[in-house]
Amino acid sequence: MLSRRDEFLTGLCVMALGALVLWWIIPTYITTPRRVPILALSPAFWPRIIAWTILGCGLILVLRAALAPAPPDAVADDLSVSRPEGLRLLALGAILIGIFFALPVVGMVWVCMIAYALMVLLSRGKNLGWGMIIAILLPLLLYLFFTKVAGVAIPQGQIVRLP
């Protein structure tokens, strides 16, 4: 657990990152046409949404650190990683490496389904059923939106192709 000072500084850094993306990186490196008929189809729309979310998360961290009660005099934190935690971290790394190598072969939709399901299982949360339902539906719905509504091609694999 971070100290209030560390959490406050982390929040400020996250806010700075969001502001940097929002007011320098997006305008400088993303070219947008002058007139976009549907706002959600603008190349800068989703990066802006993500940047505002990052900025908001940083603000929440800052407010949480500023409004938290004073910590007790002696705080003993054990920052060591237990064996199960280390194995779960290694498993997450293996999943991410698997995503990298499987994307060109299997395709984005199927890889996202499998990776999301594996991460849900890895989290060992209490709502595994809902996690599995979301692991299947979310990539399919995003695929349908981007291909049918937005007209953006989603990378398909060589094994199974979606319509």
Side-chain angles (χ1 to χ4, degrees):
M1 184 172 191
L2 295 175
S3 69
R4 283 178 30 180
R5 182 180 144 282
D6 290 343
E7 193 168 316
F8 187 82
L9 291 175
T10 302
L12 288 178
C13 288
V14 169
M15 287 178 65
L17 175 69
L20 178 76
V21 169
L22 195 58
W23 288 297
W24 181 62
I25 292 177
I26 292 174
T28 304
Y29 294 104
I30 296 179
T31 26
T32 51
R34 292 181 191 262
R35 182 154 162 74
V36 179
I38 300 173
L39 183 64
L41 298 180
S42 170
F45 179 75
W46 290 109
R48 278 194 191 108
I49 296 290
I50 293 168
W52 279 109
T53 303
I54 290 171
L55 198 64
C57 289
L59 180 64
I60 289 170
L61 274 175
V62 166
L63 291 175
R64 184 177 138 181
L67 300 175
D73 291 337
V75 177
D77 285 335
D78 182 20
L79 297 178
S80 63
V81 177
S82 67
R83 181 178 171 91
E85 290 170 338
L87 291 175
R88 286 173 60 197
L89 189 59
L90 284 175
L92 177 63
I95 290 170
L96 294 175
I97 290 170
I99 290 170
F100 177 78
F101 288 111
L103 268 175
V105 178
V106 182
M108 184 173 279
V109 176
W110 301 107
V111 168
C112 288
M113 278 185 197
I114 293 167
Y116 193 102
L118 288 174
M119 286 184 202
V120 165
L121 290 173
L122 194 61
S123 73
R124 293 186 288 182
K126 57 184 175 185
N127 296 318
L128 292 178
W130 281 110
M132 292 303 157
I133 291 170
I134 292 171
I136 293 169
L137 289 180
L138 184 64
L140 282 177
L141 291 174
L142 287 172
Y143 169 78
L144 290 174
F145 170 77
F146 281 108
T147 56
K148 306 301 181 195
V149 177
V152 176
I154 299 293
Q156 300 252 356
Q158 302 162 353
I159 298 175
V160 179
R161 292 186 147 307
L162 293 170

